[in-house]
Amino acid sequence: MTQSPQSAQISYNTSLKQLENAADIIKLDPAAYELLRHPLRELHVTMPVKMDNGSTKIFHGFRVQHNDARGPNKGGIRFHPDETIDTVRALASWMTWKTSVMDIPLGGGKGGVICNPKNMSLGELERLSRAYIRQLGNFIGPQKDIPAPDVYTTPQIMAWIADEYSIMHGHNQFGVITGKPLALGGSAGRGDATARGGIYCVREAAETIDLNLAGARAAIQGYGNAGSYAHKLAVELLGMKVIAVSDSSGSIYNPDGFLYEALMAHKKKSGSVTGFPEAAAISDKELLELDVAVLFPAALDSVITKTNAPDIRAKIIAELANGPTTPEADTILYKKGVYIIPDLLCNAGGVTVSYFEMVQNAYGYYWEEKEVQQRLEKKMKTAFLAVQQKSKAYNVNNRLAAYIVAVERVAEAMKLRGWY
Ligand code: GLU
């Protein structure tokens, strides 16, 4: 993944403000509002892990279940040195809204472990992943709370977790987690799902604002799973030219556009996109401010701020990361007429195909990649339309519209269940 560990943190207060704005507009019942302001449950865990040098290191982690009115909690696990309970809380609530915007029968959760995977061996990572899942114990489960990959966690980590959980329960329980490798009940099409969902949204957005994408320029901030697949698919599906990309080591630029295969091969070999031949080094700030049709923030949160927002020239911002735009930047960009596809919608392809993975695990019957992609496309288009219609109905920006769609659905489920 591709972010500076120093980036400003997402705060739960910001997410509460977004909820408050939506609640005001739809005149949400006060009890429902109070319920949604708090996670239903959270667990703090401490884990001893044997390190390769013979020492034992103590790690801390969390799992937050924000709301499961519409179905089991769902959301990724982050391994990050700056992880905090506050960030995990915010991200868990965003999963509630994300699954609701997508209208998939799931709630919202998120997990985090404070660690720096970049400084850990594979063996240490495996022992930490297994220790974390043992500590979560029955807090999670295929009908209760289903984790998945997120920042710095991979299909291999999902495989260890599926294995550990299966051992704990005496039989295979692969449905406890999604984003698994194909050989362990993963879904075809999960790998590029986050980027693919975002690309489908970009296509819809361009149509809405009458922007021709063929041959148009794109810049990608972050070259992890979402960012690198966004490069591949922006070229393949939209005919765009990706003229700048970045990762935690720096940003590169080539006005003629980068070839995905060549850049990926370079990154695999050297560990970074920087130093790619026939590319100029630019600053991360310059990348964000390039004159492009589409800017994809695809790393960590809070990279588009009130400081750089006035200089952003992209026509569309496609938020593949969670929380890349601060609320102040949001207001500035909205006034400037930039079309923002909010994270709740733009990066929801990942959790949507995770949901497909759960369905296939429960069914014991697996779909071909084409079928997954077709189903994803349909889901993304429907959600995009729902957000667009709300935005028109209430004359609000896309982000607030996405919140309104989401909060209304969760509130309806809570009402029907008799929670208020
Ligand atoms: N971590 C991803 C997200 O933030 C995917 C979650 C999932 O697949 O459950 O949406």
Side-chain angles (χ1 to χ4, degrees):
M1 284 266 185
T2 48
Q3 55 281 324
S4 131
Q6 277 84 40
S7 83
Q9 298 272 325
I10 298 164
S11 86
Y12 192 53
N13 268 340
T14 308
S15 68
L16 287 181
K17 188 76 205 145
Q18 293 162 333
L19 168 64
E20 187 188 341
N21 293 342
D24 270 356
I25 290 178
I26 61 173
K27 300 189 175 42
L28 183 64
D29 177 278
Y33 175 57
E34 186 54 22
L35 250 175
L36 292 173
R37 282 171 46 82
H38 304 276
L40 290 179
R41 292 165 220 101
E42 58 185 50
L43 190 68
H44 297 229
V45 295
T46 302
M47 301 149 287
V49 175
K50 291 263 181 326
M51 305 305 277
D52 290 350
N53 66 6
S55 68
T56 297
K57 196 166 168 188
I58 311 302
F59 290 89
H60 302 279
F62 321 98
R63 182 77 192 170
V64 176
Q65 296 172 353
H66 175 257
N67 190 286
D68 55 9
R70 290 171 39 86
N73 301 282
K74 183 87 191 82
I77 299 169
R78 306 184 352 141
F79 279 5
H80 198 276
D82 293 342
E83 196 60 281
T84 68
I85 182 65
D86 193 61
T87 305
V88 178
R89 261 180 212 140
L91 288 160
S93 69
W94 289 351
M95 288 310 300
T96 303
W97 312 135
K98 205 184 289 186
T99 51
S100 181
V101 166
M102 293 311 298
D103 205 8
I104 53 184
L106 296 169
K110 197 70 123 196
V113 176
I114 308 167
C115 66
N116 190 351
K118 283 187 175 172
N119 300 338
M120 294 170 71
S121 70
L122 263 190
E124 289 169 344
L125 266 181
E126 175 174 355
R127 291 191 290 279
L128 175 63
S129 307
R130 290 183 186 275
Y132 176 60
I133 243 48
R134 282 196 303 274
Q135 278 296 62
L136 294 190
N138 284 327
F139 195 67
I140 59 165
Q143 259 89 45
K144 231 183 200 175
D145 183 3
I146 304 95
D150 204 294
V151 170
Y152 288 149
T153 53
T154 58
Q156 174 61 77
I157 292 177
M158 303 304 115
W160 290 325
I161 289 177
D163 180 64
E164 191 67 27
Y165 190 86
S166 298
I167 293 169
M168 285 160 61
H169 289 81
H171 60 279
N172 285 351
Q173 288 258 332
F174 294 167
V176 70
I177 198 152
T178 60
K180 300 178 293 287
L182 280 182
L184 286 184
S187 174
R190 179 64 181 86
D192 72 9
T194 306
R196 183 173 287 275
I199 293 286
Y200 292 149
C201 288
V202 168
R203 195 159 61 192
E204 298 298 311
E207 221 176 278
T208 307
I209 60 171
D210 216 6
L211 180 69
N212 186 7
L213 293 175
R217 295 182 298 267
I220 302 175
Q221 184 256 345
Y223 212 71
N225 170 282
S228 59
Y229 276 122
H231 179 182
K232 180 168 188 273
L233 297 174
V235 175
E236 247 174 55
L237 301 183
L238 306 176
M240 297 191 78
K241 208 161 64 168
V242 175
I243 60 161
V245 307
S246 73
D247 62 22
S248 54
S249 306
S251 302
I252 56 170
Y253 171 75
N254 180 339
D256 296 330
F258 291 112
L259 258 182
Y260 166 77
E261 287 76 13
L263 186 53
M264 236 1 217
H266 171 79
K267 169 139 185 152
K268 278 207 176 108
K269 209 164 69 193
S270 72
S272 168
V273 294
T274 54
F276 185 64
E278 289 167 53
I282 55 170
S283 71
D284 297 350
K285 180 172 152 52
E286 282 170 320
L287 177 137
L288 292 172
E289 296 167 6
L290 282 171
D291 185 9
V292 290
V294 186
L295 171 64
F296 293 91
L300 272 192
D301 59 284
S302 314
V303 288
I304 302 175
T305 63
K306 61 173 187 254
T307 319
N308 58 19
D311 299 319
I312 284 189
R313 285 185 286 169
K315 310 264 181 316
I316 295 175
I317 295 181
E319 295 185 340
L320 289 176
N322 283 319
T325 312
T326 65
E328 296 90 349
D330 226 10
T331 313
I332 298 170
L333 293 168
Y334 186 54
K335 280 199 191 123
K336 275 175 62 151
V338 178
Y339 192 101
I340 299 183
I341 310 169
D343 48 4
L344 293 185
L345 174 65
C346 192
N347 71 30
V351 72
T352 302
V353 175
S354 273
Y355 162 59
F356 295 162
E357 184 173 331
M358 288 170 62
V359 171
Q360 294 168 83
N361 289 160
Y363 219 55
Y365 181 77
Y366 288 80
W367 308 338
E368 284 174 14
E369 188 167 17
K370 202 79 235 131
E371 184 166 357
V372 171
Q373 290 169 355
Q374 280 163 356
R375 287 179 190 266
L376 174 64
E377 184 168 6
K378 201 165 157 202
K379 278 302 226 183
M380 295 306 309
K381 277 189 179 165
T382 307
F384 189 95
L385 197 68
V387 170
Q388 206 174 40
Q389 281 170 349
K390 271 302 173 219
S391 156
K392 280 201 192 114
Y394 288 100
N395 191 24
V396 294
N397 66 31
N398 288 334
R399 192 178 318 277
L400 190 47
Y403 269 87
I404 293 173
V405 171
V407 174
E408 276 181 346
R409 287 179 182 158
V410 177
E412 185 192 2
M414 294 199 307
K415 178 85 186 155
L416 288 167
R417 291 182 69 157
W419 290 6
Y420 72 94

